[in-house]
């Protein structure tokens, strides 16, 4: 049966009641918002694929994808609520124009845009809120915005009546933009700024065995652990040696209740039953080789997603050290790490340190107890601790707690429980964040110390380890030493083969400037050479290897092609500079020495800062500057007969540390002049001993606008001030002129090239007395 048509009023046409197409701006708004929501969901899901939450990766992706949807949907709900409130308010106020705007502008797309904005920028707007746990990578933020733009352009291209050429242009613009962004993200970056030594650099050879080559010992491996580890079979049923659990809850109790529940579910234990897990590489001699006991070296990782196990990343180093005659252990502390939505925020630092000492106690037991592979094999008086990142801070604390009580560790252990023979500490790119009671920091008074850091570190992008180095004192370590090696083109992660180039996580690391970086093999080779050299000197008393840190150019054939700035300070050291006092050079003296600067525009003792301009290095240095056309000189005068009293001989050496000043011109030749009591002067160029180290700029990200975003460094200069130690044997001055008598030395002068303006930092001027 047909339905009769309803006649229209005379003043209404059919076109007037036909559905009207939304305006172009409304289509653009809705499609942009829909694209943002889709991008947020996809990016969140991809983040779920990056991390292992103990669930199938697709389940994790679905959960995080839903989280992204929920955040955007929450913004949508906020906008709808605001629209309702404003609508009611405008009705009461008879505000017709406002009501018309609310009817014209739909709340849903506005809310989705708001939700995405909060998702992207919430961590920067409210850094101490829960948004910190919703930290999107910058690559994800870019992808979300590009998705919104692309969906909008596609919607505009599909409008009825759009000319074909216009459609092609609207589709081509987002496609080309996406391709351009993808190409920029994929390309590694730029390296035209990288500093290099001059071609005339001197590289005399060091006549020692290359410590970076495989050693003479056969290497064996085993694991030890709780025997019941469900996540790590090598420490569970497959463990070769079983270790008891330890209760660390009095030191660090964990997290909030929901997180602690997840922690127990994931690991199968809590902080009252922490395992002692480790992978061991150990040497076995044959023929003329010793059968032990061997020095013990513990290696511990730092913070990293706990489910991406970090301890296997030092297998290259552990195997190498075992071949060199050390028992090397990569310690598992992954359960002290965080995962996306939780982190110890350095409060777990005492626990990390205490666990290392509990490992040493276990090794003491194995050494003393018959019936295990290490009975009588471990030299417990020659121990070294190596730590990376937070692990680099933990090893300093472990050495401190080995001999000093401190809360909260003193609640469960005292130094009487430990007192192990820790003779060496190696901190690789360490943090320096935890402060004990009274903001106490660890000092290394009895152990030798090595700081190993990368100049292109995008994680600990400030040289925090410089503070550790400067706190390491040699007063209670007769004959000891401390050293620093700043590997210019090294990053943070490649000292660990698991971490690799991902200093800022998988997604954000695509935005790092990776072009200048050493390869993983090169960086690990540098670690082998520098760490083994340190251990040979610190644990085996092969002190010739200390020279590696006095002048790394002497070992260039051992190391990759990169600049390495080094510092070395040995005990005994006769200091003669005046940099520990006031800024007035004439107001202080050390060992009776007096200092004076000539023809300088600037000569002042300064507290050296890190490259953010805020943090301090914990050291002072003399800042000297001069103009072009001058004759700049810095002189230190010694009291009469002081050189003889010190017992200076040709076997002694003048040592000092020097660095260029960031932003100032490169310094030319430096002459070192010595004057004796009879007025004779003896002058040699510094380049006869070692090349003058240039300033070492490092651009960590691909574009300046990335600085400060989502954890990327902010407000930093390209250069970190890293002093280079120079060692000038007094025998070299005597060889140049046999009339030179070291015991008659009265003055030390540094003569700078005044043909051009320049500036330097000078520090640690003194003498290594050498062997009597």
């Amino acid at each position: 049966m047909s339905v009769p048509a309803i006649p229209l009023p005379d003043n209404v046409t059919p076109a007037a009641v036909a559905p009207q197409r939304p305006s172009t701006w409304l289509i653009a708004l809705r499609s942009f918002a829909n694209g943002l929501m889709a991008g947020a969901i996809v990016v969140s899901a991809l983040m779920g694929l990056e991390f292992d939450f103990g669930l199938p990766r697709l389940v994790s992706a679905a959960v995080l994808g839903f989280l992204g949807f929920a955040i955007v949907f929450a913004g949508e709900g906020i906008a709808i609520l605001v629209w309702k409130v404003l609508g009611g308010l405008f009705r009461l106020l008879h505000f017709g124009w406002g009501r018309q705007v609310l009817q014209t502008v739909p709340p849903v797309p506005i809310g989705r845009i708001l939700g995405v904005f909060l998702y992207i920028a919430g961590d920067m707007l409210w850094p101490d809120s829960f948004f910190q746990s919703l930290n999107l990578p910058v690559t994800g933020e870019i992808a979300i915005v590009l998705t919104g733009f692309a969906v909008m352009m596609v919607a505009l291209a599909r409008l009825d009546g759009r000319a074909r050429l216009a459609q092609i242009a609207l589709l081509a613009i987002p496609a080309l933009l996406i391709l351009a962004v993808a190409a920029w993200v994929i390309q590694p970056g730029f390296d035209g700024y990288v500093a290099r030594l001059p071609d005339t650099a001197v590289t005399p050879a060091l006549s020692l065995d290359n410590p970076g080559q495989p050693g003479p010992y056969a290497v064996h491996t085993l694991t030890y652990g709780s025997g019941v580890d469900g996540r790590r079979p090598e420490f569970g049923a497959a463990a070769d040696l079983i270790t008891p659990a330890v209760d660390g809850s009095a030191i660090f109790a964990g997290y909030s209740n929901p997180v602690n529940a997840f922690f127990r579910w994931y690991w199968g234990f809590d902080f009252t039953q922490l395992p002692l897990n480790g992978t061991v590489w150990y040497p076995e001699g044959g023929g003329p080789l010793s059968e032990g006991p061997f020095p013990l070296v513990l290696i511990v990782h730092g913070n990293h997603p706990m489910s991406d196990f970090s301890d296997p990343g030092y297998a290259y180093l552990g195997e190498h050290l075992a071949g060199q005659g050390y028992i090397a252990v990569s310690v598992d502390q992954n359960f002290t790490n965080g995962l996306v939505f939780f982190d110890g925020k350095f409060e777990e630092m005492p626990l990390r340190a205490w666990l290392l000492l509990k490992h040493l106690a276990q090794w003491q037991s194995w050494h003393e107890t018959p019936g295990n592979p290490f009975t009588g094999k471990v030299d417990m008086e020659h121990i070294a601790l190596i730590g990376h990142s937070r692990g680099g801070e933990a090893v300093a604390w472990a050495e401190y707690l080995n001999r000093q009580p401190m809360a909260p560790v003193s609640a469960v252990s005292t130094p009487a429980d430990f007192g192990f023979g820790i003779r060496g500490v190696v901190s690789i790119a360490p943090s320096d964040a935890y402060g004990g009671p009274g903001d106490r920091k660890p000092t290394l008074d009895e152990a030798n110390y090595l700081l190993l850091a990368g100049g292109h570190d995008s994680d600990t992008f400030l040289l925090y380890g410089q503070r550790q180095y400067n706190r390491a004192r040699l007063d209670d370590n007769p004959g000891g030493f401390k050293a620093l090696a700043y590997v210019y083109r090294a990053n943070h992660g490649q000292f660990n083969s698991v971490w690799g180039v991902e200093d800022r996580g998988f997604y954000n690391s695509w935005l790092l400037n990776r072009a200048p970086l050493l390869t993983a093999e090169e960086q690990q080779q540098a670690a082998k050479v520098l760490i083994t050299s340190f251990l040979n000197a610190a644990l085996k008393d092969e002190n010739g290897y200390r020279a590696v840190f006095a002048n790394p150019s002497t070992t260039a054939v051992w190391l990759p092609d990169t600049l390495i700035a080094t510092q070395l300070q040995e005990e005994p050291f006769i200091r003669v500079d005046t940099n520990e006092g006031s800024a007035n050079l004439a107001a202080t003296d050390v060992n009776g020495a007096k200092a004076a600067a000539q023809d300088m525009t600037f000569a002042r003792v300064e507290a050296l800062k890190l490259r953010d301009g805020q943090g301090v290095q914990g050291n002072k240095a003399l800042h000297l500057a001069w103009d072009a056309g001058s004759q700049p000189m810095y002189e230190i005068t010694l009291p009469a007969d002081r050189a003889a009293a010190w017992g200076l001989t040709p076997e002694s050496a003048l040592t000092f540390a020097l660095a260029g000043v960031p932003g100032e011109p490169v310094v030319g030749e430096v002459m070192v002049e010595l004057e004796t009591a009879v007025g004779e002067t003896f002058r040699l160029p510094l380049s006869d001993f070692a090349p003058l180290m240039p300033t070492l700029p490092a651009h960590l990200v691909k574009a300046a606008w990335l600085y400060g975003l989502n954890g990327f460094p902010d407000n930093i200069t390209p250069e970190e001030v890293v002093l280079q130690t120079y060692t000038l044997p007094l025998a070299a001055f005597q060889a140049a002129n046999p009339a030179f008598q070291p015991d008659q030395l009265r003055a030390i002068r540094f003569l700078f090239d005044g043909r051009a303006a320049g500036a330097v930092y000078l520090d640690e001027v003194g003498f290594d007395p050498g062997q009597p």
Side-chain angles (χ1 to χ4, degrees):
M1 182 176 65
S2 61
V3 178
I6 299 176
L8 296 172
D10 294 339
N11 62 340
V12 177
T13 65
V17 297
Q20 293 189 9
R21 189 183 74 181
S23 62
T24 300
W25 74 266
L26 189 57
I27 292 173
L29 178 67
R30 286 174 172 166
S31 56
F32 179 65
N34 292 339
L36 290 180
M37 172 177 265
I41 294 171
V42 171
V43 167
S44 300
L46 290 175
M47 288 176 61
L49 292 176
E50 179 183 3
F51 300 107
D52 177 9
F53 294 94
L55 301 169
R57 291 297 176 101
L58 289 178
V59 174
S60 298
V63 170
L64 263 72
F66 178 77
L67 176 63
F69 165 78
I71 294 170
V72 178
F73 186 72
E76 184 178 318
I78 291 171
I80 292 174
L81 179 62
V82 169
W83 254 242
K84 288 184 178 297
V85 171
L86 289 177
L89 181 63
F90 292 164
R91 277 194 300 271
L92 290 175
L93 298 176
H94 303 290
F95 186 29
W97 181 82
R99 294 175 61 190
Q100 184 178 1
V101 170
L102 293 179
Q103 291 172 353
T104 304
V105 181
V108 170
I110 296 298
R112 291 178 178 177
I113 294 171
L114 172 65
V116 170
F117 173 76
L118 293 176
Y119 198 9
I120 290 175
D123 62 312
M124 291 185 290
L125 296 175
W126 302 285
D128 296 325
S129 70
F130 76 99
F131 282 106
Q132 278 298 105
S133 300
L134 307 175
N135 212 349
L136 281 172
V138 177
T139 47
E141 296 169 355
I142 294 172
I144 290 171
V145 174
L146 282 177
T147 302
F149 178 72
V151 171
M152 179 186 71
M153 297 298 281
V154 169
L156 293 177
R158 296 178 61 188
L159 288 178
D160 294 338
R162 185 76 70 190
R164 177 55 60 89
L165 187 60
Q167 288 180 327
I168 293 173
L170 289 169
L171 294 174
I173 290 172
L176 292 174
L177 182 60
I178 291 171
L179 288 173
V181 171
W184 177 71
V185 168
I186 292 171
Q187 61 89 22
F190 56 98
D191 61 0
Y193 65 87
V194 171
R196 299 189 181 278
L197 289 176
D199 293 336
T200 56
V202 176
T203 54
L206 193 63
S207 57
L208 293 170
D209 291 336
N210 182 351
Q213 292 299 310
Y217 289 90
V219 177
H220 298 265
T221 187
L222 59 76
T223 61
Y224 63 84
S226 64
V228 293
D229 197 311
R231 295 286 174 186
R232 307 291 303 276
E234 64 270 36
F235 305 134
D240 297 285
L241 297 171
I242 304 302
T243 54
V246 295
D247 183 356
S249 59
I251 302 173
F252 180 72
Y255 312 96
S256 63
N257 286 335
V259 174
N260 275 341
F262 171 79
F263 184 94
R264 285 192 299 270
W265 170 80
Y266 185 89
W267 288 113
F269 54 81
D270 60 17
F271 288 90
T272 66
Q273 295 179 313
L274 298 175
L276 298 178
N277 297 337
T279 302
V280 186
W281 294 268
Y282 60 99
E284 280 196 355
L289 296 178
S290 169
E291 293 293 338
F294 298 103
L296 176 64
V297 180
L298 300 190
I299 310 167
V300 66
H301 58 82
N303 199 45
H304 188 71
M306 71 178 192
S307 53
D308 187 24
F309 308 132
S310 297
D311 55 293
Y314 305 106
Y316 78 93
L317 183 58
E319 183 174 359
H320 175 75
L321 292 177
Q324 294 283 340
Y326 299 92
I327 297 174
V329 186
S330 183
V331 173
D332 165 33
Q333 288 191 2
N334 291 284
F335 46 82
T336 64
N337 289 346
L339 181 64
V340 184
F341 53 88
F342 67 91
D343 181 86
K345 297 181 179 179
F346 297 97
E347 293 303 314
E348 84 289 355
M349 190 59 64
L351 178 65
R352 291 177 185 265
W354 178 76
L355 284 169
L356 290 173
L357 297 176
K358 298 300 286 185
H359 276 264
L360 290 182
Q362 181 62 63
W363 278 95
Q364 181 82 53
S365 175
W366 283 330
H367 172 64
E368 295 174 349
T369 304
N372 69 79
F374 302 109
T375 303
K377 296 286 189 180
V378 190
D379 185 351
M380 296 301 295
E381 294 304 315
H382 291 82
I383 297 170
L385 305 178
I386 301 175
H388 185 186
S389 197
R390 286 195 198 183
E393 184 174 357
V395 293
W397 277 111
E399 193 278 337
Y400 182 84
L401 294 171
N402 186 53
R403 53 186 171 78
Q404 294 284 345
M406 188 188 77
V409 174
S410 54
V412 293
S413 299
T414 67
D417 299 320
F418 306 127
F420 302 113
I422 299 175
R423 296 275 300 277
V425 172
V426 179
S427 291
I428 305 173
S431 56
D432 190 46
Y434 180 76
D439 200 29
R440 186 187 312 181
K441 294 288 187 178
T443 57
L444 294 97
D445 297 337
E446 298 179 7
N448 304 301
Y449 178 75
L450 170 63
L451 168 63
L452 176 59
H456 283 74
D457 187 327
S458 296
D459 187 342
T460 52
F461 45 82
L462 301 178
L463 191 58
Y464 295 115
Q466 185 74 66
R467 299 170 178 169
Q468 269 192 20
Y469 177 86
N470 290 324
R471 287 197 304 267
R473 300 192 296 263
L474 303 175
D475 300 343
D476 298 325
N477 185 15
F481 72 104
K482 64 178 182 179
L484 176 153
Y486 185 78
V487 185
Y488 177 40
R489 290 169 50 217
N491 76 338
H492 188 82
Q494 289 187 141
F495 291 116
N496 181 305
S497 62
V498 172
W499 298 359
V501 296
E502 297 174 12
D503 279 8
R504 305 304 306 178
F506 175 77
Y507 295 111
N508 267 347
S509 292
W510 287 97
L511 302 180
L512 298 178
N513 184 26
R514 291 170 283 122
L517 298 184
L518 299 171
T519 65
E521 292 76 15
E522 289 173 329
Q523 187 164 328
Q524 289 164 17
Q525 178 65 16
K528 291 177 184 178
V529 170
L530 296 166
I531 292 174
T532 308
S533 295
F534 171 80
L535 294 178
N536 286 349
L539 302 187
K540 295 183 178 181
D541 295 324
E542 297 177 7
N543 289 322
Y545 283 100
R546 297 187 185 192
V548 171
F549 306 102
N551 184 2
S553 64
T554 61
T555 57
V557 294
W558 299 350
L559 294 162
D561 181 19
T562 182
L563 295 179
I564 301 178
T566 59
Q567 294 175 32
L568 175 67
Q569 189 175 129
E570 302 176 274
E571 200 283 331
F573 174 66
I574 303 169
R575 178 187 294 276
V576 298
D577 66 17
T578 61
N579 296 348
E580 298 304 313
S582 71
N584 185 345
L585 296 181
T588 60
D589 65 352
V590 177
N591 279 319
K594 299 289 185 180
Q598 173 186 300
D599 218 1
M600 297 284 184
T601 59
F602 193 88
R604 187 177 180 85
V605 175
E606 295 180 350
L608 293 180
K609 293 187 176 181
L610 300 172
R611 62 177 165 179
D612 64 349
Q614 303 296 320
V616 295
Q617 293 191 11
N619 186 34
K620 294 178 181 179
L622 177 62
H623 183 178
L624 299 170
W626 59 90
D627 288 333
S630 61
Q631 294 182 323
M633 180 189 73
Y634 176 68
E635 179 182 49
I636 298 175
T637 304
L638 307 179
D641 301 324
R642 188 56 58 91
W646 291 335
L648 296 187
T649 70
E651 284 70 39
S652 304
L654 170 67
T655 70
F656 55 89
L658 193 69
V661 177
E664 298 291 339
V666 176
V667 177
E669 183 62 272
V670 178
M671 304 296 291
V672 179
E673 183 177 273
L674 304 182
E675 182 178 338
T676 62
V678 295
E680 292 185 291
T681 58
F682 306 86
R683 181 185 299 183
L684 290 173
L686 180 59
S687 58
D688 278 4
F689 302 92
L692 189 64
M693 187 68 66
T695 55
L696 303 175
H699 296 278
L700 303 180
V701 293
K702 292 180 180 178
W705 57 267
L706 290 169
Y707 283 112
L709 293 180
N710 194 5
F712 287 123
D714 190 17
N715 297 323
I716 64 171
T717 61
E719 299 96 348
E720 193 82 82
V721 176
V722 184
L723 296 164
Q724 170 65 49
T725 294
Y726 294 90
T727 301
L728 282 58
L730 298 186
F733 290 86
Q734 193 173 70
N737 188 339
F740 174 65
Q741 297 299 318
D743 60 353
Q744 297 180 12
L745 185 62
R746 284 296 309 275
I748 307 162
R749 299 187 185 96
F750 297 90
L751 309 173
F752 300 96
D753 186 352
R755 291 175 296 178
V760 297
Y761 287 113
L762 178 65
D763 194 23
E764 302 290 353
V765 183
F767 293 97
D768 172 2
Q771 298 298 320

